[in-house]
Amino acid sequence: MLRITDLCVSYGAIAALSGVTLEVPAGSIVTLIGSNGAGKTTTLRTISGLLKPGRGRIEFAGENLAGLPAHQIVARGLCHVPEGRMVFSNLTVEENLAMGAFLQRDAATIAATREYVFSIFPRLKERLKQTAGTLSGGEQQMLAIGRALMSKPKCLMLDEPSLGIAPRLIATIFEKIAEINRTQGITILLVEQNAHLALAVSRSAYVLETGRVVLQGDSTALRDNPQLKAAYLGG
């Protein structure tokens, strides 16, 4: 469904990505692992149209998206939940969810999607009239994912969903990510520093270091890779 080929991105004279190639098959969960500065967030921001690549193809459902503006990429079914959640803090939970559905025109579809969001994140229904900026970190992450689901995505890109969340809620968030993939068939590209969690929930994985893919393969097999264990799993 999503295929990245020879992707190169620079910040001025500094190369952030140098020939990144990866594939996310339809219906799968694929994870990107790497330390801070490895290029994980840059990869997602480039795919979603927030950064322009210097070179490379971003192919989604057979179409090259490289260079398209972000709103057109969302309209094609590719949605990005950014690092830090980035909810509209001065709007209510209800208003944030409505913002996620801004490209949807069918009222019945919007209502049904909202009910689905409430079914997986019932706390959002309890907080419907509450201002998003007053929610906990975990609740804001639920809202950010819920807002993205309101756009009816075919592929969901999640950037560090465990960041800044209480440990008791991290497992819940990852259970819901797996549930969304399993029950809705939504393809997921996951960026996550917690390699244990990322490899447990994903089918396959890519390891980025200084803007290059240095390891890739089946997530189960990579958990036993000595190089990855030493760098990211405390082995």
Side-chain angles (χ1 to χ4, degrees), residues 1-14:
M1 171 173 277
L2 177 64
R3 181 180 292 111
I4 314 302
T5 307
D6 195 27
L7 193 63
C8 296
V9 179
S10 296
Y11 296 104
I14 306 299

Side-chain angles (χ1 to χ4, degrees), residues 9-232:
V9 179
S10 296
Y11 296 104
I14 306 299
L17 299 179
S18 302
V20 169
T21 295
L22 60 89
E23 185 170 357
V24 186
S28 67
I29 301 179
V30 174
T31 189
L32 285 178
I33 297 170
S35 58
N36 285 334
K40 306 184 304 298
T41 292
T42 296
T43 299
L44 296 198
R45 288 175 60 83
T46 306
I47 294 170
S48 62
L50 299 175
L51 295 172
K52 289 189 176 182
R55 189 178 75 226
R57 285 182 62 86
I58 302 168
E59 190 176 320
F60 181 65
E63 179 183 5
N64 186 17
L65 304 184
L68 285 182
H71 69 280
Q72 291 185 18
I73 291 173
V74 173
R76 283 159 171 78
L78 187 58
C79 196
H80 180 189
V81 179
E83 181 180 0
R85 299 174 286 279
M86 305 298 286
V87 296
F88 299 107
S89 60
N90 59 329
L91 300 182
T92 65
V93 168
E94 184 174 30
E95 290 166 337
N96 268 270
L97 294 176
M99 291 295 288
F102 79 100
L103 288 176
Q104 303 300 313
R105 294 292 177 262
D106 184 73
T109 298
I110 292 172
T113 306
R114 196 170 85 148
E115 286 307 310
Y116 170 69
V117 170
F118 292 154
S119 74
I120 57 171
F121 298 126
R123 200 168 302 186
L124 295 182
K125 191 169 187 177
E126 298 169 7
R127 306 281 195 271
L128 196 59
K129 300 298 182 181
Q130 189 170 326
T131 304
T134 65
L135 300 176
S136 70
E139 290 166 345
Q140 287 188 12
Q141 187 63 67
M142 294 174 190
L143 178 57
I145 296 172
R147 182 181 61 187
L149 291 173
M150 291 299 296
S151 73
K152 298 291 290 181
K154 299 172 185 173
C155 180
L156 196 57
M157 300 190 297
L158 303 172
D159 195 351
E160 301 284 7
S162 72
L163 187 67
I165 294 179
R168 70 181 186 279
L169 285 179
I170 290 175
T172 298
I173 293 292
F174 272 78
E175 287 169 6
K176 297 305 181 182
I177 290 170
E179 180 181 334
I180 290 164
N181 170 257
R182 183 178 65 253
T183 64
Q184 302 299 303
I186 296 174
T187 305
I188 294 175
L189 177 56
L190 170 68
V191 161
E192 178 56 54
Q193 272 196 298
N194 188 322
H196 284 285
L197 283 173
L199 292 172
V201 78
S202 62
R203 179 188 301 176
S204 58
Y206 294 80
V207 180
L208 285 181
E209 289 183 5
T210 59
R212 299 177 185 274
V213 175
V214 296
L215 279 175
Q216 67 184 80
D218 177 82
S219 295
T220 302
L222 283 178
R223 280 200 294 267
D224 296 323
N225 181 283
Q227 182 181 348
L228 189 140
K229 287 174 72 173
Y232 302 104

